[in-house]
Amino acid sequence: MIARATSDDEADPELLALLRKSLGLDGGPANPATAETKVLENAQYVFDNAIDVALSPAKVKEAAETVWRLMQKKQYSTETWAEHELHPKAKDGSTVDFIFTMDLLNFSFWSGETEESKRFCIEYRGRRWTGYWSLVAALQRALEEGIEITSPGFWIKEDECTDTLLRHVFRSATDEEIPMLEERIQCLREAGRVLCTDFDGSFVNCVYSANYSAAALVNLLVESFPCFRDETAFHGRRVRLYKRAQILVADLWACFNGESYGEFHDIDKITMFADYRIPQMLHELGCLLYSPSLESHIRDKKLIPSGSNWEIELRATSIWCVELLRREIKRQHPELKRQKLLERKSVQQSEDEVTPANDKGEPTTQQHAEQISTNGSSAFGVNAILIDFFLYDTIKDLERDGRETIPHHRTRSIWY
């Protein structure tokens, strides 16, 4: 129990106050230095006790350099997020509500259809979109059709926002319907009630409540919205994975480039987002190793139940693996330790300064890091969020080109 009841319908106020304070939700300023999600700690616990999923230390070291090199080559940064044609371009409260809606419904897009042409997809602006992008396309299409799909006040008006209308919003260009439509509708209704009752009808007020703390905002999400409470039990211990809550915070950070609604002083407390795509990519890199029985199960595309040991090990070990990749990149590139100082320099200042060169006429490694930091290609150094974004985009590219060597694991749930 969260708090001991002092009567049939009254919780102990002192215990509730202590709980809210520990989550950074006590009404006072959330302290980024003390708010914690416990996701990384829980992931390490699962990894330490996993039986069917392991890591290859040698491959992690090798992959770290490969990932970093490619991220730099592609100038991977927060700005990459807004470059996609479907992501919103406005930098205001309406985009905050769009991102909340998007990540509220950001789960379970994989299809059971073997033929690509029969998969669920959204037709929008002359193209067909699948997976995560089908959701973003559906929301953009609905807004263009005059449907207030990103308005919590609209979600709770069941006489206007009917199930039939929502089916129209997510209508497919094929015979296959969007997976878990009923669950998505339930998420909208539930979140609409919470936002309209407790946060004046907008997720913007949740962002304000977190006081620039990413961890506090994640904790507020999982406390206030049951459909974000991505928790389970492993060997008798509570495990927090919080995929959608964390990716929501990360999307705000990326969309607003670490400023305005996306300014979080503790953004590096966010881990990667434990889904079914990143484990697939980590296996492609040789970092993630499966037991023969688990690998056979995945290759045969058999369902893995949500909350099972296999599923928890896959997700948690992926979180820990990306953390090790992050640490290894920073170990291999000590110049990144200066990143926090470098990022304070303005772009104008970097343009005005003359960069000394080595004997080949090229910037030194340290100077290269400074240029990277100030030109936007790595304005925040390296963290689990950017590594996750890069790994996700890479596995999608491999899938598109038919070059993936193992399918992703298959689990149906609202958590990812």
Side-chain angles (χ1 to χ4, degrees):
M1 294 180 63
I2 291 177
R4 185 181 70 254
T6 55
S7 69
D8 289 343
D9 56 1
E10 182 182 356
D12 186 325
E14 292 184 5
L15 286 180
L16 282 176
L18 182 62
L19 171 65
R20 293 184 65 81
K21 184 176 181 179
S22 70
L23 294 175
L25 303 173
D26 58 335
N31 185 347
T34 58
E36 299 290 344
T37 68
K38 302 295 182 70
V39 172
L40 187 60
E41 173 187 320
N42 291 175
Q44 183 179 12
Y45 167 77
V46 173
F47 167 71
D48 288 342
N49 293 277
I51 296 173
D52 291 283
V53 183
L55 295 178
S56 166
K59 287 295 185 180
V60 169
K61 288 185 177 182
E62 181 182 314
E65 182 59 25
T66 300
V67 167
W68 175 246
R69 177 171 47 80
L70 291 175
M71 287 177 70
Q72 296 311 294
K73 182 179 179 180
K74 296 183 178 182
Q75 294 192 323
Y76 226 80
S77 73
T78 51
E79 295 176 3
T80 307
W81 192 95
E83 289 172 0
H84 195 281
E85 61 183 286
L86 291 183
H87 277 156
K89 302 299 182 284
K91 306 296 182 183
D92 55 26
S94 68
T95 294
V96 174
D97 286 333
F98 185 99
I99 290 173
F100 178 81
T101 308
M102 182 178 77
D103 286 320
L104 176 66
L105 305 176
N106 184 3
F107 56 84
S108 199
F109 298 107
W110 59 269
S111 172
E113 291 286 349
T114 55
E115 294 183 36
E116 182 73 21
S117 62
K118 294 183 178 181
R119 284 186 60 186
F120 160 75
C121 66
I122 295 292
E123 198 166 277
Y124 176 62
R125 292 185 176 177
R127 288 184 59 183
R128 289 191 169 191
W129 304 90
T130 59
Y132 160 77
W133 294 115
S134 68
L135 170 64
V136 188
L139 297 179
Q140 295 285 20
R141 182 178 65 180
L143 290 173
E144 288 187 7
E145 292 174 347
I147 300 171
E148 299 176 76
I149 192 58
T150 60
S151 171
F154 179 63
W155 304 338
I156 62 174
K157 296 177 182 177
E158 296 191 32
D159 56 332
E160 297 180 29
C161 183
T162 63
D163 288 4
T164 299
L165 177 63
L166 292 173
R167 288 182 183 277
H168 172 77
V169 168
F170 298 108
R171 66 191 182 277
S172 176
T174 68
D175 290 336
E176 185 180 37
E177 186 180 71
I178 186 172
M180 305 186 78
L181 177 59
E182 294 301 325
E183 288 81 356
R184 295 178 205 275
I185 293 174
Q186 291 171 16
C187 287
L188 281 172
R189 307 283 192 216
E190 174 191 283
R193 288 191 293 270
V194 172
L195 286 172
C196 291
T197 301
D198 299 333
F199 298 100
D200 200 25
S202 176
F203 185 66
V204 167
N205 294 313
C206 296
V207 177
Y208 291 151
S209 297
N211 194 34
Y212 305 106
S213 170
L217 185 52
V218 168
N219 291 337
L220 184 151
L221 278 162
V222 300
E223 183 198 54
S224 303
F225 301 87
C227 62
F228 278 100
R229 205 168 296 150
D230 180 11
E231 301 173 350
T232 188
F234 184 77
H235 293 182
R237 177 168 166 173
R238 177 188 178 194
V239 172
R240 305 161 177 85
L241 297 169
Y242 297 167
K243 185 265 183 179
R244 288 190 297 113
Q246 290 201 111
I247 203 171
L248 171 51
V249 174
D251 282 343
L252 287 172
W253 174 71
C255 174
F256 290 93
N257 204 29
E259 300 174 347
S260 180
Y261 297 111
E263 182 179 355
F264 299 106
H265 299 164
D266 57 346
I267 192 64
D268 287 349
K269 289 183 179 179
I270 301 299
T271 71
M272 63 78 75
F273 320 116
D275 64 355
Y276 50 83
R277 285 300 187 183
I278 306 304
Q280 182 188 17
M281 186 62 218
L282 293 173
H283 188 279
E284 293 278 353
L285 290 169
C287 300
L288 218 60
L289 307 174
Y290 303 152
S291 68
S293 56
L294 174 56
E295 181 160 342
S296 175
H297 200 90
I298 291 174
R299 290 191 181 278
D300 291 342
K301 300 182 179 180
K302 294 179 180 178
L303 196 67
I304 295 178
S306 178
S308 65
N309 279 3
W310 273 358
E311 189 230 13
I312 298 168
E313 289 183 19
L314 283 164
R315 298 182 71 199
T317 304
S318 297
I319 293 173
W320 187 241
C321 182
V322 169
E323 171 63 15
L324 295 181
L325 285 173
R326 184 193 68 81
R327 293 180 185 182
E328 183 63 19
I329 289 171
K330 297 192 82 170
R331 188 192 70 80
Q332 294 178 6
H333 297 275
E335 70 273 12
L336 292 173
K337 293 178 182 178
R338 299 183 65 246
Q339 206 73 1
K340 289 190 179 296
L341 290 175
L342 296 174
E343 69 189 27
R344 296 192 185 113
K345 295 187 176 183
S346 67
V347 173
Q348 185 61 49
Q349 181 182 0
S350 69
E351 289 174 348
D352 290 343
E353 292 176 348
V354 176
T355 303
N358 60 20
D359 57 0
K360 295 182 180 179
E362 301 167 341
T364 64
T365 301
Q366 185 167 303
Q367 291 156 353
H368 177 61
E370 183 165 342
Q371 288 179 338
I372 289 171
S373 175
T374 54
N375 71 13
S377 65
S378 187
F380 298 90
V382 60
N383 60 21
I385 297 171
L386 293 178
I387 295 173
D388 180 289
F389 286 172
F390 172 78
L391 293 175
Y392 178 86
D393 288 347
T394 303
I395 192 62
K396 292 297 288 184
D397 288 344
L398 290 177
E399 180 190 46
R400 183 192 64 236
D401 298 339
R403 292 187 290 128
E404 77 273 33
T405 61
I406 190 171
H408 62 76
H409 75 272
R410 279 157 166 74
T411 297
R412 283 284 184 217
S413 79
I414 70 167
W415 308 125
Y416 64 98

